[in-house]
Every structure is written in structure tokens, then in C-alpha cells.
């Protein structure tokens, strides 16, 4: 069974940076597209971005383009979400997820989810 372990969340001031990590275990990492989602209070999880299996293609939602970067290190079975220029509206619980669908951008494409990590951005 696939397990995803996230780390790197925390509290920062506006304009600050954080890097989230997501380690996959239990299966072959390169079998999966890796996605990142976030959930605001009272809402469903929203797609943030995705990286393909080889790591040479990514997609990001418009609201984070130019500020967030997705990468992966297949030798370490780890995906990353580098977040810079953080804004208070980025405050959410962030989730990584694994899918067999190429550059999947819908929640139902994803079979495995991390536990979530809180990111809080203050003014």
C-alpha cells in the first residue's frame, strides 16, 4: 500500500517561503504523477499543481504561478512544493497525492493522499 508522508508546513509572515516535502513509500515512486492540493476551512480540496513521473513537466494553477514551484527527486522518492512570496490567502492545509493519471488535476484522479500539513501566512 502506498503511503505519503508530508513535512515542511508551518507559520510564516507574508512574503516568506516554505518548502513542503512528500515522501512516497510502499510502491515505485516513478509509477506516479504527484499532485499538490490545498484546503481552506469549509471548502473542498483544491488543485494547486502537479508534476509528471519523470519530473520534466509541471502544471500550476494561475494563483500560484510565479510563486510556487513543484519538483521531485526520484532517487529520494520525494516530491516538493517550494512556496515563495507567500500571501495570507495561501493559508490552508496542504496535501500531496499520487495518481497514475498523467498530469492529473482532479481530486478523483488521485488514489493516495498524505495526511496534510498546515501552512499559515500572517500579515
Amino acid at each position: 500500500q502506498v503511503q505519503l508522508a508530508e513535512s515542511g508546513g508551518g507559520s510564516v509572515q507574508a512574503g516568506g517561503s516554505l518548502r513542503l516535502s512528500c515522501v512516497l513509500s510502499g510502491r515505485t515512486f516513478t509509477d506516479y504523477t504527484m499532485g499538490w492540493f490545498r484546503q481552506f476551512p469549509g471548502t473542498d480540496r483544491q488543485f494547486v499543481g502537479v508534476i509528471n513521473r519523470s519530473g520534466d513537466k509541471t502544471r500550476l494553477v494561475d494563483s500560484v504561478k510565479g510563486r510556487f514551484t513543484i519538483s521531485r527527486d526520484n532517487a529520494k522518492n520525494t516530491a516538493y512544493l517550494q512556496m515563495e512570496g507567500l500571501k495570507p490567502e495561501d493559508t490552508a492545509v496542504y496535501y500531496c497525492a499520487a495518481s497514475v493519471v498523467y498530469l492529473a488535476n482532479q481530486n478523483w484522479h488521485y488514489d493516495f493522499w498524505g495526511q496534510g500539513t498546515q501552512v499559515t501566512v500572517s500579515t
Side-chain angles (χ1 to χ4, degrees), residues 63-69 82-87 90:
S63 60
V64 306
K65 283 180 180 176
R67 300 188 299 122
F68 291 12
T69 304
Q82 178 70 43
M83 304 184 292
E84 299 178 354
L86 283 161
K87 304 176 181 180
D90 294 317

Side-chain angles (χ1 to χ4, degrees), residues 31-110:
D31 284 347
Y32 297 96
T33 285
M34 297 300 294
W36 288 94
F37 291 76
R38 60 187 179 183
Q39 188 169 23
F40 305 109
T43 69
D44 293 334
R45 293 177 190 177
Q46 300 177 8
F47 175 73
V48 174
V50 62
I51 187 166
N52 69 339
R53 295 186 296 172
S54 61
D56 62 348
K57 293 191 187 300
T58 61
R59 289 181 182 167
L60 290 163
V61 294
D62 287 345
S63 60
V64 306
K65 283 180 180 176
R67 300 188 299 122
F68 291 12
T69 304
I70 294 177
S71 62
R72 64 191 292 162
D73 185 336
N74 287 343
K76 296 182 178 180
N77 295 346
T78 304
Y80 302 98
L81 180 65
Q82 178 70 43
M83 304 184 292
E84 299 178 354
L86 283 161
K87 304 176 181 180
E89 53 263 43
D90 294 317
T91 295
V93 178
Y94 284 72
Y95 296 87
C96 67
S99 172
V100 296
V101 177
Y102 178 72
L103 293 179
N105 64 355
Q106 303 295 322
N107 298 32
W108 56 86
H109 289 154
Y110 287 83

